[in-house]
Amino acid sequence: MNRIIKVEPFTKEAFAPYGHLLMREPGVPPIKTTPPIFADRIPFEVDDGSAEFVYALLKRKEFKFSALERHLKVTQGFFPLYGGPAIISVAPATDPNDLEALPSPDSVRCFLLESYTAFVIHRGVWHGTILPLEESFGYILATRKETTDDSIEPLYDGDCQIRDLGVTFEIQL
Ligand SMILES: NC(=O)N[C@@H](O)C(=O)O
């Protein structure tokens, strides 16, 4: 079965159930007004392990997916470096103790990430691989070393749980 998803604007309010946005212009006065100006801040948390940064690379591919993944022990952060806007796919967290718990296909949402915005996702929020609009895209992934290790061999009992939702999502810009 295929399902069409329309990309939505990426705002703090719309993304609040899934995580936090770190914005150049968050719509509130700067935290610090002397250079360097601190425009915005968001939390980043790692449980039972050590924080690390990963330099991640992607190539443009068709705007389709059927699998999502979740991490329970880190509020993973995504910091674009180059390659212009990209599409972020998310769905609400499900029971962290149930390895078979999946979000409903109609709860999946897609947002348009601008190259000057970053974000973190709440623990357990289901998310797809970023889909860049340009040919090449690079981002810094703020994550947990043990979660990265689990991502190399994704295991349900690790902190990189990848599941196919049984639906092919086609994204419309
Ligand atoms: N697998 C992993 O740790 N990171 C992914 O969530 C990703 O999209 O980078």
Side-chain angles (χ1 to χ4, degrees):
M1 176 172 67
N2 287 22
R3 178 183 289 263
I4 304 290
I5 298 189
K6 185 96 176 79
V7 172
E8 303 175 55
F10 209 16
T11 66
K12 284 186 182 269
E13 296 73 21
F15 198 65
Y18 312 101
H20 301 287
L21 261 62
L22 193 63
M23 303 181 82
R24 181 176 63 186
E25 297 168 356
V28 293
I31 300 148
K32 173 174 168 298
T33 56
T34 53
I37 294 170
F38 292 174
D40 199 1
R41 64 196 299 181
I42 59 174
F44 168 62
E45 294 162 333
V46 172
D47 306 330
D48 311 326
S50 46
E52 69 170 6
F53 296 113
V54 172
Y55 201 120
L57 307 173
L58 285 169
K59 291 289 185 192
R60 180 187 167 103
K61 64 184 274 287
E62 60 180 346
F63 298 158
K64 283 184 181 178
F65 66 94
S66 64
L68 295 176
E69 65 182 75
R70 69 175 177 179
H71 314 295
L72 299 173
K73 296 193 172 182
V74 57
T75 62
Q76 211 165 54
F78 298 76
F79 299 80
L81 284 181
Y82 65 85
I87 299 165
I88 311 300
S89 312
V90 291
T94 52
D95 182 350
N97 301 309
D98 179 355
L99 291 180
E100 300 312 315
L102 276 181
S104 63
D106 59 9
S107 71
V108 178
R109 295 173 70 180
C110 293
F111 295 95
L112 185 65
L113 169 69
E114 296 296 348
S115 53
Y116 45 82
T117 299
F119 67 98
V120 296
I121 52 176
H122 299 318
R123 292 173 184 80
V125 165
W126 292 94
H127 55 285
T129 300
I130 291 175
L131 293 168
L133 273 60
E134 295 180 13
E135 181 51 37
S136 295
F137 183 83
Y139 63 100
I140 298 299
L141 180 69
T143 187
R144 169 178 171 271
K145 180 189 173 304
E146 296 75 8
T147 301
T148 303
D149 295 340
D150 289 342
S151 303
I152 295 159
E153 289 296 331
L155 300 169
Y156 288 152
D157 58 358
D159 196 40
C160 180
Q161 300 174 13
I162 299 175
R163 300 298 303 283
D164 192 298
L165 273 65
V167 174
T168 298
F169 297 94
E170 295 184 27
I171 299 167
Q172 264 181 11
L173 286 173

